[in-house]
mmCIF file of all heavy atoms in Angstrom:
data_model
loop_
_atom_site.group_PDB
_atom_site.id
_atom_site.type_symbol
_atom_site.label_atom_id
_atom_site.label_comp_id
_atom_site.label_asym_id
_atom_site.label_seq_id
_atom_site.Cartn_x
_atom_site.Cartn_y
_atom_site.Cartn_z
ATOM 1 N N ARG A 1 0.785 -1.198 0.015
ATOM 2 C CA ARG A 1 0.019 0.067 0.034
ATOM 3 C C ARG A 1 0.860 1.263 0.066
ATOM 4 O O ARG A 1 0.537 2.243 -0.699
ATOM 5 C CB ARG A 1 -0.935 -0.026 1.195
ATOM 6 C CG ARG A 1 -1.693 1.227 1.466
ATOM 7 C CD ARG A 1 -2.790 1.271 0.498
ATOM 8 N NE ARG A 1 -3.591 2.479 0.851
ATOM 9 C CZ ARG A 1 -4.489 3.073 0.000
ATOM 10 N NH1 ARG A 1 -4.551 2.591 -1.203
ATOM 11 N NH2 ARG A 1 -5.114 4.088 0.396
ATOM 12 N N ILE A 2 1.944 1.234 0.917
ATOM 13 C CA ILE A 2 2.720 2.508 0.905
ATOM 14 C C ILE A 2 3.660 2.618 -0.395
ATOM 15 O O ILE A 2 3.811 3.675 -0.977
ATOM 16 C CB ILE A 2 3.670 2.342 2.085
ATOM 17 C CG1 ILE A 2 2.955 2.492 3.450
ATOM 18 C CG2 ILE A 2 4.863 3.375 1.996
ATOM 19 C CD1 ILE A 2 3.725 2.251 4.655
ATOM 20 N N ARG A 3 4.194 1.442 -0.844
ATOM 21 C CA ARG A 3 5.104 1.498 -2.128
ATOM 22 C C ARG A 3 4.284 1.794 -3.356
ATOM 23 O O ARG A 3 4.851 2.532 -4.120
ATOM 24 C CB ARG A 3 5.869 0.146 -2.055
ATOM 25 C CG ARG A 3 6.741 -0.007 -3.265
ATOM 26 C CD ARG A 3 7.999 0.894 -3.117
ATOM 27 N NE ARG A 3 8.936 0.471 -4.079
ATOM 28 C CZ ARG A 3 9.045 1.184 -5.351
ATOM 29 N NH1 ARG A 3 8.213 2.155 -5.532
ATOM 30 N NH2 ARG A 3 9.980 0.825 -6.196
ATOM 31 N N TRP A 4 3.131 1.085 -3.548
ATOM 32 C CA TRP A 4 2.497 1.282 -4.937
ATOM 33 C C TRP A 4 1.199 1.998 -4.754
ATOM 34 O O TRP A 4 0.592 2.255 -5.795
ATOM 35 C CB TRP A 4 2.376 -0.091 -5.509
ATOM 36 C CG TRP A 4 3.573 -0.604 -6.086
ATOM 37 C CD1 TRP A 4 4.117 -0.168 -7.255
ATOM 38 C CD2 TRP A 4 4.517 -1.605 -5.547
ATOM 39 N NE1 TRP A 4 5.390 -0.813 -7.463
ATOM 40 C CE2 TRP A 4 5.576 -1.689 -6.412
ATOM 41 C CE3 TRP A 4 4.467 -2.244 -4.265
ATOM 42 C CZ2 TRP A 4 6.608 -2.607 -6.017
ATOM 43 C CZ3 TRP A 4 5.468 -3.130 -4.143
ATOM 44 C CH2 TRP A 4 6.596 -3.279 -4.922
ATOM 45 N N GLY A 5 0.835 2.477 -3.544
ATOM 46 C CA GLY A 5 -0.290 3.335 -3.392
ATOM 47 C C GLY A 5 -1.680 2.557 -3.688
ATOM 48 O O GLY A 5 -2.720 3.360 -3.715
ATOM 49 N N SER A 6 -1.775 1.293 -3.777
ATOM 50 C CA SER A 6 -3.032 0.613 -3.903
ATOM 51 C C SER A 6 -3.200 -0.690 -3.002
ATOM 52 O O SER A 6 -2.125 -1.253 -2.609
ATOM 53 C CB SER A 6 -3.317 0.136 -5.399
ATOM 54 O OG SER A 6 -2.324 -0.730 -5.790
ATOM 55 N N PHE A 7 -4.254 -1.072 -2.748
ATOM 56 C CA PHE A 7 -4.428 -2.212 -1.950
ATOM 57 C C PHE A 7 -4.386 -3.490 -2.805
ATOM 58 O O PHE A 7 -4.946 -3.603 -3.893
ATOM 59 C CB PHE A 7 -5.812 -2.265 -1.222
ATOM 60 C CG PHE A 7 -6.067 -3.455 -0.501
ATOM 61 C CD1 PHE A 7 -5.467 -3.690 0.750
ATOM 62 C CD2 PHE A 7 -6.957 -4.477 -0.887
ATOM 63 C CE1 PHE A 7 -5.803 -4.800 1.472
ATOM 64 C CE2 PHE A 7 -7.124 -5.655 -0.242
ATOM 65 C CZ PHE A 7 -6.615 -5.832 0.961
ATOM 66 N N SER A 8 -3.576 -4.462 -2.268
ATOM 67 C CA SER A 8 -3.551 -5.740 -2.974
ATOM 68 C C SER A 8 -3.479 -6.804 -1.880
ATOM 69 O O SER A 8 -2.736 -6.847 -0.940
ATOM 70 C CB SER A 8 -2.248 -5.846 -3.714
ATOM 71 O OG SER A 8 -2.073 -7.118 -4.341
ATOM 72 N N ASP A 9 -4.484 -7.876 -2.128
ATOM 73 C CA ASP A 9 -4.453 -8.857 -1.034
ATOM 74 C C ASP A 9 -3.363 -9.808 -1.289
ATOM 75 O O ASP A 9 -3.188 -10.432 -2.338
ATOM 76 C CB ASP A 9 -5.794 -9.621 -1.224
ATOM 77 C CG ASP A 9 -5.894 -10.587 -0.086
ATOM 78 O OD1 ASP A 9 -5.076 -10.692 0.827
ATOM 79 O OD2 ASP A 9 -6.911 -11.554 -0.261
ATOM 80 N N ARG A 10 -2.410 -9.785 -0.315
ATOM 81 C CA ARG A 10 -1.209 -10.651 -0.511
ATOM 82 C C ARG A 10 -1.356 -11.953 0.097
ATOM 83 O O ARG A 10 -0.299 -12.613 0.230
ATOM 84 C CB ARG A 10 -0.007 -9.856 0.221
ATOM 85 C CG ARG A 10 0.089 -8.316 -0.193
ATOM 86 C CD ARG A 10 0.404 -8.103 -1.564
ATOM 87 N NE ARG A 10 1.706 -8.575 -1.959
ATOM 88 C CZ ARG A 10 2.093 -8.736 -3.160
ATOM 89 N NH1 ARG A 10 1.409 -8.360 -4.185
ATOM 90 N NH2 ARG A 10 3.280 -9.197 -3.376
ATOM 91 N N GLY A 11 -2.565 -12.356 0.448
ATOM 92 C CA GLY A 11 -2.866 -13.708 1.157
ATOM 93 C C GLY A 11 -2.785 -14.816 0.253
ATOM 94 O O GLY A 11 -2.640 -14.756 -1.054
ATOM 95 N N PHE A 12 -2.972 -15.957 0.830
ATOM 96 C CA PHE A 12 -2.966 -17.251 0.159
ATOM 97 C C PHE A 12 -4.494 -17.715 0.090
ATOM 98 O O PHE A 12 -5.197 -17.806 1.108
ATOM 99 C CB PHE A 12 -2.115 -18.270 0.886
ATOM 100 C CG PHE A 12 -2.113 -19.655 0.343
ATOM 101 C CD1 PHE A 12 -1.408 -19.876 -0.832
ATOM 102 C CD2 PHE A 12 -2.749 -20.641 1.014
ATOM 103 C CE1 PHE A 12 -1.453 -21.130 -1.369
ATOM 104 C CE2 PHE A 12 -2.757 -21.853 0.382
ATOM 105 C CZ PHE A 12 -2.051 -22.163 -0.745
ATOM 106 N N LEU A 13 -4.880 -17.807 -1.187
ATOM 107 C CA LEU A 13 -6.240 -18.169 -1.429
ATOM 108 C C LEU A 13 -7.167 -17.016 -0.872
ATOM 109 O O LEU A 13 -7.009 -15.887 -1.185
ATOM 110 C CB LEU A 13 -6.574 -19.466 -0.885
ATOM 111 C CG LEU A 13 -5.912 -20.646 -1.528
ATOM 112 C CD1 LEU A 13 -6.167 -21.989 -0.879
ATOM 113 C CD2 LEU A 13 -6.107 -20.832 -2.955
ATOM 114 N N MET A 14 -8.074 -17.405 0.061
ATOM 115 C CA MET A 14 -9.002 -16.349 0.585
ATOM 116 C C MET A 14 -8.718 -15.798 2.020
ATOM 117 O O MET A 14 -9.385 -15.152 2.618
ATOM 118 C CB MET A 14 -10.375 -16.874 0.561
ATOM 119 C CG MET A 14 -10.944 -17.198 -0.871
ATOM 120 S SD MET A 14 -10.883 -15.729 -1.998
ATOM 121 C CE MET A 14 -12.340 -14.845 -1.251
ATOM 122 N N LEU A 15 -7.658 -16.487 2.561
ATOM 123 C CA LEU A 15 -7.261 -16.116 3.956
ATOM 124 C C LEU A 15 -6.244 -14.946 4.036
ATOM 125 O O LEU A 15 -5.377 -14.832 3.093
ATOM 126 C CB LEU A 15 -6.587 -17.268 4.591
ATOM 127 C CG LEU A 15 -7.516 -18.591 4.653
ATOM 128 C CD1 LEU A 15 -6.696 -19.729 5.269
ATOM 129 C CD2 LEU A 15 -8.698 -18.382 5.524
ATOM 130 N N PRO A 16 -6.227 -14.186 5.102
ATOM 131 C CA PRO A 16 -5.193 -13.145 5.327
ATOM 132 C C PRO A 16 -3.982 -13.831 5.830
ATOM 133 O O PRO A 16 -3.583 -13.395 7.000
ATOM 134 C CB PRO A 16 -5.975 -12.138 6.204
ATOM 135 C CG PRO A 16 -6.733 -13.042 7.114
ATOM 136 C CD PRO A 16 -7.335 -14.107 6.053
ATOM 137 N N LEU A 17 -3.306 -14.721 5.168
ATOM 138 C CA LEU A 17 -2.097 -15.396 5.588
ATOM 139 C C LEU A 17 -1.090 -15.297 4.501
ATOM 140 O O LEU A 17 -1.412 -15.625 3.350
ATOM 141 C CB LEU A 17 -2.411 -16.755 6.043
ATOM 142 C CG LEU A 17 -3.467 -16.970 7.197
ATOM 143 C CD1 LEU A 17 -3.686 -18.490 7.284
ATOM 144 C CD2 LEU A 17 -2.906 -16.357 8.547
ATOM 145 N N CYS A 18 0.160 -15.127 4.840
ATOM 146 C CA CYS A 18 1.292 -15.537 3.810
ATOM 147 C C CYS A 18 1.927 -16.642 4.480
ATOM 148 O O CYS A 18 2.748 -16.576 5.291
ATOM 149 C CB CYS A 18 2.157 -14.265 3.713
ATOM 150 S SG CYS A 18 1.425 -12.972 2.733
ATOM 151 N N THR A 19 1.552 -17.899 3.977
ATOM 152 C CA THR A 19 1.948 -19.116 4.623
ATOM 153 C C THR A 19 3.567 -19.405 4.575
ATOM 154 O O THR A 19 4.041 -20.089 5.333
ATOM 155 C CB THR A 19 1.205 -20.274 4.144
ATOM 156 O OG1 THR A 19 1.393 -20.286 2.732
ATOM 157 C CG2 THR A 19 -0.262 -20.165 4.497
ATOM 158 N N ILE A 20 4.224 -18.683 3.667
ATOM 159 C CA ILE A 20 5.557 -18.888 3.460
ATOM 160 C C ILE A 20 6.283 -18.464 4.700
ATOM 161 O O ILE A 20 7.307 -19.116 5.211
ATOM 162 C CB ILE A 20 6.153 -18.206 2.271
ATOM 163 C CG1 ILE A 20 7.660 -18.605 2.028
ATOM 164 C CG2 ILE A 20 5.991 -16.747 2.316
ATOM 165 C CD1 ILE A 20 7.862 -19.960 1.442
ATOM 166 N N TYR A 21 5.846 -17.410 5.403
ATOM 167 C CA TYR A 21 6.451 -16.930 6.676
ATOM 168 C C TYR A 21 6.243 -17.880 7.806
ATOM 169 O O TYR A 21 7.141 -18.186 8.559
ATOM 170 C CB TYR A 21 5.935 -15.635 6.980
ATOM 171 C CG TYR A 21 6.134 -14.540 6.074
ATOM 172 C CD1 TYR A 21 5.210 -13.846 5.339
ATOM 173 C CD2 TYR A 21 7.446 -14.178 5.782
ATOM 174 C CE1 TYR A 21 5.480 -12.893 4.374
ATOM 175 C CE2 TYR A 21 7.753 -13.178 4.768
ATOM 176 C CZ TYR A 21 6.768 -12.554 4.098
ATOM 177 O OH TYR A 21 6.975 -11.615 3.296
ATOM 178 N N GLY A 22 4.997 -18.395 7.846
ATOM 179 C CA GLY A 22 4.750 -19.508 8.915
ATOM 180 C C GLY A 22 5.587 -20.766 8.655
ATOM 181 O O GLY A 22 6.142 -21.288 9.645
ATOM 182 N N PHE A 23 5.709 -21.214 7.390
ATOM 183 C CA PHE A 23 6.498 -22.392 7.244
ATOM 184 C C PHE A 23 7.900 -22.155 7.484
ATOM 185 O O PHE A 23 8.685 -23.028 8.011
ATOM 186 C CB PHE A 23 6.377 -22.874 5.764
ATOM 187 C CG PHE A 23 4.991 -23.602 5.516
ATOM 188 C CD1 PHE A 23 4.148 -23.148 4.536
ATOM 189 C CD2 PHE A 23 4.750 -24.781 6.149
ATOM 190 C CE1 PHE A 23 2.884 -23.759 4.353
ATOM 191 C CE2 PHE A 23 3.595 -25.480 5.938
ATOM 192 C CZ PHE A 23 2.674 -24.984 4.978
ATOM 193 N N CYS A 24 8.452 -21.032 7.158
ATOM 194 C CA CYS A 24 9.819 -20.723 7.378
ATOM 195 C C CYS A 24 10.167 -20.538 8.840
ATOM 196 O O CYS A 24 11.271 -21.076 9.222
ATOM 197 C CB CYS A 24 10.252 -19.363 6.710
ATOM 198 S SG CYS A 24 10.279 -19.516 4.871
ATOM 199 N N ILE A 25 9.327 -19.965 9.706
ATOM 200 C CA ILE A 25 9.565 -19.868 11.082
ATOM 201 C C ILE A 25 9.628 -21.307 11.742
ATOM 202 O O ILE A 25 10.421 -21.612 12.569
ATOM 203 C CB ILE A 25 8.538 -18.852 11.846
ATOM 204 C CG1 ILE A 25 9.138 -18.527 13.221
ATOM 205 C CG2 ILE A 25 7.336 -19.502 12.005
ATOM 206 C CD1 ILE A 25 10.362 -17.669 13.225
ATOM 207 N N LEU A 26 8.684 -22.166 11.306
ATOM 208 C CA LEU A 26 8.683 -23.512 11.825
ATOM 209 C C LEU A 26 9.839 -24.297 11.330
ATOM 210 O O LEU A 26 10.460 -25.047 12.042
ATOM 211 C CB LEU A 26 7.415 -24.218 11.306
ATOM 212 C CG LEU A 26 6.052 -23.818 11.953
ATOM 213 C CD1 LEU A 26 4.916 -24.596 11.457
ATOM 214 C CD2 LEU A 26 6.104 -23.807 13.464
ATOM 215 N N ALA A 27 10.320 -24.044 10.141
ATOM 216 C CA ALA A 27 11.475 -24.729 9.555
ATOM 217 C C ALA A 27 12.768 -24.304 10.373
ATOM 218 O O ALA A 27 13.543 -25.102 10.772
ATOM 219 C CB ALA A 27 11.731 -24.382 8.155
ATOM 220 N N VAL A 28 12.849 -22.983 10.701
ATOM 221 C CA VAL A 28 13.971 -22.459 11.425
ATOM 222 C C VAL A 28 13.898 -23.188 12.765
ATOM 223 O O VAL A 28 14.916 -23.695 13.335
ATOM 224 C CB VAL A 28 13.984 -20.950 11.564
ATOM 225 C CG1 VAL A 28 14.979 -20.520 12.542
ATOM 226 C CG2 VAL A 28 14.314 -20.359 10.238
ATOM 227 N N TYR A 29 12.793 -23.146 13.478
ATOM 228 C CA TYR A 29 12.732 -23.682 14.778
ATOM 229 C C TYR A 29 12.916 -25.171 14.775
ATOM 230 O O TYR A 29 13.668 -25.671 15.682
ATOM 231 C CB TYR A 29 11.321 -23.453 15.430
ATOM 232 C CG TYR A 29 11.256 -24.000 16.854
ATOM 233 C CD1 TYR A 29 11.945 -23.366 17.934
ATOM 234 C CD2 TYR A 29 10.547 -25.310 17.013
ATOM 235 C CE1 TYR A 29 11.794 -24.001 19.202
ATOM 236 C CE2 TYR A 29 10.428 -25.816 18.290
ATOM 237 C CZ TYR A 29 11.092 -25.152 19.239
ATOM 238 O OH TYR A 29 11.097 -25.841 20.526
ATOM 239 N N LEU A 30 12.424 -25.944 13.845
ATOM 240 C CA LEU A 30 12.581 -27.456 13.964
ATOM 241 C C LEU A 30 14.029 -27.826 13.424
ATOM 242 O O LEU A 30 14.438 -28.789 13.846
ATOM 243 C CB LEU A 30 11.440 -28.086 13.040
ATOM 244 C CG LEU A 30 10.068 -27.945 13.540
ATOM 245 C CD1 LEU A 30 9.150 -28.417 12.529
ATOM 246 C CD2 LEU A 30 9.938 -28.576 14.847
ATOM 247 N N LEU A 31 14.634 -27.016 12.522
ATOM 248 C CA LEU A 31 15.898 -27.438 11.882
ATOM 249 C C LEU A 31 17.166 -27.007 12.950
ATOM 250 O O LEU A 31 18.058 -27.849 13.138
ATOM 251 C CB LEU A 31 16.210 -26.928 10.642
ATOM 252 C CG LEU A 31 15.251 -27.563 9.537
ATOM 253 C CD1 LEU A 31 15.470 -26.810 8.223
ATOM 254 C CD2 LEU A 31 15.541 -29.116 9.436
ATOM 255 N N ILE A 32 16.966 -25.719 13.465
ATOM 256 C CA ILE A 32 18.132 -25.320 14.207
ATOM 257 C C ILE A 32 17.811 -24.850 15.529
ATOM 258 O O ILE A 32 18.639 -24.595 16.461
ATOM 259 C CB ILE A 32 18.971 -24.193 13.547
ATOM 260 C CG1 ILE A 32 17.989 -22.946 13.141
ATOM 261 C CG2 ILE A 32 19.580 -24.668 12.331
ATOM 262 C CD1 ILE A 32 18.734 -21.813 12.639
ATOM 263 N N GLY A 33 16.491 -24.691 15.868
ATOM 264 C CA GLY A 33 16.004 -24.426 17.244
ATOM 265 C C GLY A 33 16.176 -22.949 17.526
ATOM 266 O O GLY A 33 16.440 -22.105 16.725
ATOM 267 N N THR A 34 16.282 -22.589 18.877
ATOM 268 C CA THR A 34 16.520 -21.267 19.375
ATOM 269 C C THR A 34 18.080 -21.193 19.529
ATOM 270 O O THR A 34 18.788 -22.153 19.616
ATOM 271 C CB THR A 34 15.739 -21.073 20.709
ATOM 272 O OG1 THR A 34 16.328 -21.975 21.712
ATOM 273 C CG2 THR A 34 14.374 -21.253 20.650
ATOM 274 N N PRO A 35 18.442 -19.877 19.545
ATOM 275 C CA PRO A 35 19.999 -19.743 19.688
ATOM 276 C C PRO A 35 20.605 -20.473 20.908
ATOM 277 O O PRO A 35 21.652 -21.167 20.611
ATOM 278 C CB PRO A 35 20.144 -18.175 19.818
ATOM 279 C CG PRO A 35 18.904 -17.606 19.349
ATOM 280 C CD PRO A 35 17.875 -18.588 19.521
ATOM 281 N N ARG A 36 20.145 -20.430 21.986
ATOM 282 C CA ARG A 36 20.713 -21.015 23.134
ATOM 283 C C ARG A 36 20.206 -22.392 23.495
ATOM 284 O O ARG A 36 20.740 -23.112 24.263
ATOM 285 C CB ARG A 36 20.627 -20.157 24.462
ATOM 286 C CG ARG A 36 21.452 -18.921 24.363
ATOM 287 C CD ARG A 36 21.502 -18.195 25.620
ATOM 288 N NE ARG A 36 22.391 -17.094 25.635
ATOM 289 C CZ ARG A 36 23.501 -17.050 26.113
ATOM 290 N NH1 ARG A 36 23.938 -18.082 26.846
ATOM 291 N NH2 ARG A 36 24.238 -16.029 26.083
ATOM 292 N N GLY A 37 19.133 -22.884 22.872
ATOM 293 C CA GLY A 37 18.484 -24.121 23.227
ATOM 294 C C GLY A 37 18.470 -25.077 22.183
ATOM 295 O O GLY A 37 18.069 -26.199 22.211
ATOM 296 N N GLY A 38 18.928 -24.691 20.875
ATOM 297 C CA GLY A 38 19.017 -25.566 19.794
ATOM 298 C C GLY A 38 20.285 -26.280 19.502
ATOM 299 O O GLY A 38 20.839 -26.715 20.354
ATOM 300 N N ARG A 39 20.570 -26.321 18.199
ATOM 301 C CA ARG A 39 21.824 -27.088 17.741
ATOM 302 C C ARG A 39 23.011 -26.393 18.300
ATOM 303 O O ARG A 39 24.108 -27.010 18.381
ATOM 304 C CB ARG A 39 21.773 -27.006 16.199
ATOM 305 C CG ARG A 39 20.540 -27.735 15.566
ATOM 306 C CD ARG A 39 20.906 -29.045 15.148
ATOM 307 N NE ARG A 39 19.633 -29.522 14.555
ATOM 308 C CZ ARG A 39 18.992 -30.685 14.801
ATOM 309 N NH1 ARG A 39 19.489 -31.351 15.857
ATOM 310 N NH2 ARG A 39 17.961 -31.007 14.160
ATOM 311 N N LEU A 40 23.045 -25.039 18.544
ATOM 312 C CA LEU A 40 24.277 -24.350 19.097
ATOM 313 C C LEU A 40 24.406 -24.452 20.615
ATOM 314 O O LEU A 40 25.368 -23.871 21.170
ATOM 315 C CB LEU A 40 24.265 -22.923 18.551
ATOM 316 C CG LEU A 40 24.282 -22.760 16.933
ATOM 317 C CD1 LEU A 40 24.274 -21.317 16.719
ATOM 318 C CD2 LEU A 40 25.541 -23.393 16.501
ATOM 319 N N ARG A 41 23.589 -25.082 21.232
ATOM 320 C CA ARG A 41 23.568 -25.140 22.743
ATOM 321 C C ARG A 41 24.881 -25.633 23.290
ATOM 322 O O ARG A 41 25.320 -24.896 24.201
ATOM 323 C CB ARG A 41 22.420 -26.065 23.218
ATOM 324 C CG ARG A 41 22.224 -26.074 24.695
ATOM 325 C CD ARG A 41 21.094 -26.990 25.133
ATOM 326 N NE ARG A 41 20.693 -26.690 26.532
ATOM 327 C CZ ARG A 41 21.300 -27.415 27.488
ATOM 328 N NH1 ARG A 41 22.299 -28.239 27.172
ATOM 329 N NH2 ARG A 41 20.959 -27.259 28.706
ATOM 330 N N THR A 42 25.465 -26.691 22.682
ATOM 331 C CA THR A 42 26.693 -27.081 23.344
ATOM 332 C C THR A 42 27.862 -26.211 23.130
ATOM 333 O O THR A 42 28.790 -25.998 23.954
ATOM 334 C CB THR A 42 27.183 -28.498 22.664
ATOM 335 O OG1 THR A 42 27.127 -28.487 21.255
ATOM 336 C CG2 THR A 42 26.113 -29.592 23.041
ATOM 337 N N LEU A 43 27.807 -25.414 22.063
ATOM 338 C CA LEU A 43 28.847 -24.456 21.854
ATOM 339 C C LEU A 43 28.676 -23.189 22.753
ATOM 340 O O LEU A 43 29.650 -22.689 23.285
ATOM 341 C CB LEU A 43 28.858 -23.976 20.270
ATOM 342 C CG LEU A 43 29.041 -25.016 19.266
ATOM 343 C CD1 LEU A 43 28.889 -24.406 17.909
ATOM 344 C CD2 LEU A 43 30.580 -25.419 19.496
ATOM 345 N N PHE A 44 27.421 -22.844 23.003
ATOM 346 C CA PHE A 44 27.176 -21.869 23.994
ATOM 347 C C PHE A 44 27.684 -22.276 25.373
ATOM 348 O O PHE A 44 28.127 -21.430 26.080
ATOM 349 C CB PHE A 44 25.713 -21.391 24.060
ATOM 350 C CG PHE A 44 25.305 -20.360 23.039
ATOM 351 C CD1 PHE A 44 24.513 -20.644 21.998
ATOM 352 C CD2 PHE A 44 25.713 -19.083 23.254
ATOM 353 C CE1 PHE A 44 24.236 -19.709 20.968
ATOM 354 C CE2 PHE A 44 25.312 -18.066 22.275
ATOM 355 C CZ PHE A 44 24.628 -18.358 21.279
ATOM 356 N N LEU A 45 27.417 -23.437 25.606
ATOM 357 C CA LEU A 45 27.891 -24.031 27.015
ATOM 358 C C LEU A 45 29.391 -24.001 27.042
ATOM 359 O O LEU A 45 29.967 -23.720 28.156
ATOM 360 C CB LEU A 45 27.268 -25.414 27.180
ATOM 361 C CG LEU A 45 25.874 -25.512 27.526
ATOM 362 C CD1 LEU A 45 25.277 -26.810 27.652
ATOM 363 C CD2 LEU A 45 25.403 -24.683 28.676
ATOM 364 N N GLN A 46 30.125 -24.349 26.090
ATOM 365 C CA GLN A 46 31.543 -24.391 26.000
ATOM 366 C C GLN A 46 32.093 -22.960 26.168
ATOM 367 O O GLN A 46 33.183 -22.753 26.654
ATOM 368 C CB GLN A 46 32.046 -25.064 24.719
ATOM 369 C CG GLN A 46 31.859 -26.556 24.720
ATOM 370 C CD GLN A 46 32.356 -27.149 23.424
ATOM 371 O OE1 GLN A 46 32.724 -26.467 22.389
ATOM 372 N NE2 GLN A 46 32.216 -28.494 23.275
ATOM 373 N N ALA A 47 31.393 -21.982 25.508
ATOM 374 C CA ALA A 47 31.793 -20.713 25.587
ATOM 375 C C ALA A 47 31.795 -20.112 26.880
ATOM 376 O O ALA A 47 32.460 -19.082 27.172
ATOM 377 C CB ALA A 47 30.914 -19.672 24.565
#
């Protein structure tokens, strides 16, 4: 709206959702976890 001055429904099908963001946050959480509690946890503990 700000960039092009008109409304455009950016959602998926009829829902107000951009599911790529939801899938990506779940992928980040499931693949690498949180910074201190995920895959890097042992390195943080060693540090």
Side-chain angles (χ1 to χ4, degrees):
R1 173 77 174 155
I2 291 170
R3 176 72 172 92
W4 284 281
S6 64
F7 176 78
S8 173
D9 185 10
R10 311 300 293 168
F12 180 70
L13 298 176
M14 299 299 290
L15 299 173
L17 301 173
C18 286
T19 55
I20 187 75
Y21 297 117
F23 283 118
C24 287
I25 196 71
L26 289 181
V28 167
Y29 178 75
L30 294 173
L31 292 175
I32 60 176
T34 60
R36 289 186 175 258
R39 305 256 185 235
L40 297 178
R41 184 175 191 277
T42 55
L43 295 175
F44 273 105
L45 291 175
Q46 289 175 357

